[in-house]
Amino acid sequence: MIYAAYHQLNQSEKSAYQQSFGNLKTAFHLISSQVEAATSKLYLLNDSDSLKDFDSTAKRILEHSPAYLDIITVDHQTGQYRSVLLNPTLAEQNTTMVWSPLNKVDPRFTVSSVYEKQPEQWVFAVKYQQNNLNEIWIEFDLKYTTQSLRGLRTLSDGYVFVVDSSSGRLVFHPDPQRIGTPSVSYHAGISEMITNGLRFGRHEYYYKGQFKLSVFDSDNPYQWVFISGTDRSDVLSSSYQFSLTAIVIASLLLLAVAFNYLTYQLNQSLADLNNKHDLPDFKHHLRAILDRFCHHKGIQLCFYDSDYGYFSTIDYHGNSHIVLKDKDLANRFSPSSLRYTAKRYADPLAKKLKIDGRHYTIPLFDKGSLIAVIYMTATFPTYRSILRMIRDYSEVALSNLLLHKKLRSKDVMTHLDNKLTIREKIDSNLDKEGIYLAILDIDHFKRINDVHGHQCGDHVILHTAELMKKCFPKPGAMSLARYGGEEFCVLFYANDENDAYEQCELFRQVVEQTELSYEEIEVRYTVSIGITSAQDSQHTTIGRADKALYQAKGLGRNQVVLNTFRA
């Protein structure tokens, strides 16, 4: 029994390290996607024909990109710094600032160390050096840029933070007030290991009365150190159920062997939930665990979207189907609850799923927010300790999976691909025959929000996403993505440039001719579209399509413009 408990503790510690390594990768990909997005904007600014055109483009970029704080230009000959928003530029002229080149993208791009633009306003910048040696900077607001990392967690209490190695200051911390302050944890041994040449590894240290387990990774072009971990007490608490079970079964000799083996096997199976990378695989593995360890007559797993109150199921191929919209029902579920009820007391969702018979209702939560509900039909009650273990492990694994999935691939609102995903699709289809990229923007979207309200604006975005799915079906469409705000992208196949133009023109006409009914009001709107072929590089492809989009807007909107490219 002592050995089994010790083994369980080791498994919990291994799981903590696995989750921490996964969080480091997710955090790096999130930051990298934002830096890469800035490089495409810098290319666009570099193509400006005049100062007036530059300022107009820069202000549009700042207006549609909340993560950007300012755009700075530096004249090489005069040494003059100029803010597009006319802000003071004393902080930018700090000679101690450290710049790191992005050689994998273009050596002309560099990323700065963190600096204090104004009191308690910490930023970093991505710089592009033009052919005439003049410079263009895009400054990122750290409090806005990195707060999406707050959802990354290890077990229950662990989190991710990022340190600028050149200054030892925090680039990101779950507590926004800590951003820009010196990191005590970084100097508790990690900085020394990095100085000695270890770029990636594990580290344990003592801080504020707690022993900390952590992993770190400094192998990135920004000279930043990504650190993730948790308290050792968190690891111990994650295995408390097994320890309590071991005490009970020690007094029941014959039952002890069987129950110990069962718990060990269950733990092994539950640990594999952390390795699932998509919802169909998670659902399939969770069902296999329940089939193996619980007697039941049927399993249903429903995911919950808290933004819109949708309960939905997902099939083996990953297709989502909305079952019920009921925010009041979601509020009736509570964390850590586990109910066994008769059919006549079934809730509205169970009735929609046609649950027939006595069943368990097992809600899954992430920090107090409902994320899924498991329904298990069972004629007789099963062991609640097993169900609690399954629930607890499933909550942590599903929370991390949903967060990783959200950050890496999908837009939460529309369920289209996100910016990072379509960039990867462009990279994998470069220079292939007949591949085109279209960037489309909803015309006068701000006016729609001002006149009809933001909820109507949300319906317009969702409606546009549905029309995209109808007009650009697979396999012709390789990626349908929401690029940000009211801007969307389509990576698709066409026979030639004329065919690409006709497909987008048909979509433009469908949008123009479709009426969207919202609260008994008929809302009409249009879109502007820029198209180009997927050639040369990801950044230039996006830049050409973006330029064509701005041309479409300049022609009066509700237009399709094809940016012809010849190799």
Side-chain angles (χ1 to χ4, degrees), residues 352-364:
K352 276 282 187 179
L353 296 171
K354 299 181 180 179
I355 303 292
D356 186 16
R358 299 181 67 85
H359 61 275
Y360 282 96
T361 303
I362 311 172
L364 305 182

Side-chain angles (χ1 to χ4, degrees), residues 532-556:
T532 191
S533 57
Q535 296 184 44
D536 195 10
S537 73
Q538 171 206 128
H539 302 289
T540 55
T541 297
I542 294 173
R544 289 196 306 270
D546 213 15
K547 194 168 185 178
L549 172 62
Y550 280 115
Q551 291 174 357
K553 290 183 177 181
L555 292 172

Side-chain angles (χ1 to χ4, degrees), residues 106-152:
D106 188 327
R108 292 175 294 178
F109 289 104
T110 52
V111 176
S112 76
S113 55
V114 298
Y115 57 95
E116 192 173 22
K117 185 175 178 68
Q118 295 180 16
E120 298 185 1
Q121 185 181 67
W122 290 87
V123 302
F124 75 95
V126 177
K127 177 174 72 177
Y128 177 73
Q129 188 173 65
Q130 299 174 285
N131 293 332
N132 59 7
L133 300 183
N134 290 342
E135 299 173 359
I136 309 173
W137 301 15
I138 291 181
E139 292 183 322
F140 284 79
D141 184 346
L142 280 175
K143 286 189 178 180
Y144 186 95
T145 304
T146 59
Q147 284 311 295
S148 54
L149 302 183
R150 295 182 69 180
L152 293 173

Side-chain angles (χ1 to χ4, degrees), residues 477-510:
M478 282 150 282
S479 178
L480 305 177
R482 185 184 181 197
Y483 205 67
E486 69 273 21
E487 198 171 53
F488 299 80
C489 288
V490 183
L491 186 68
F492 64 104
Y493 172 81
N495 296 325
D496 52 30
E497 291 179 344
N498 291 332
D499 183 29
Y501 181 92
E502 291 299 325
Q503 289 186 49
C504 292
E505 173 63 19
L506 176 61
F507 174 74
R508 184 198 66 77
Q509 294 177 15
V510 169

Side-chain angles (χ1 to χ4, degrees), residues 405-502:
K405 181 176 181 291
K406 174 183 176 182
L407 296 178
R408 291 183 177 181
S409 61
K410 293 296 182 182
D411 174 67
V412 177
M413 180 179 179
T414 62
H415 301 294
L416 299 178
D417 291 343
N418 64 10
K419 185 183 297 184
L420 178 61
T421 301
I422 196 168
R423 285 177 175 275
E424 293 174 349
K425 295 284 180 67
I426 294 172
D427 278 335
S428 62
N429 288 278
L430 280 175
D431 298 323
K432 290 183 180 179
E433 190 70 25
I435 306 300
Y436 293 83
L437 173 69
I439 299 181
L440 61 100
D441 190 273
I442 299 172
D443 296 329
H444 302 297
F445 184 73
K446 185 176 183 299
R447 184 186 302 169
I448 295 173
N449 282 335
D450 291 342
V451 175
H452 301 293
H454 288 276
Q455 287 189 345
C456 179
D458 289 347
H459 279 76
V460 169
I461 288 175
L462 291 169
H463 182 67
T464 304
E466 291 302 317
L467 292 180
M468 287 172 62
K469 294 175 184 178
K470 293 179 181 178
C471 294
F472 296 95
K474 293 182 179 181
M478 282 150 282
S479 178
L480 305 177
R482 185 184 181 197
Y483 205 67
E486 69 273 21
E487 198 171 53
F488 299 80
C489 288
V490 183
L491 186 68
F492 64 104
Y493 172 81
N495 296 325
D496 52 30
E497 291 179 344
N498 291 332
D499 183 29
Y501 181 92
E502 291 299 325

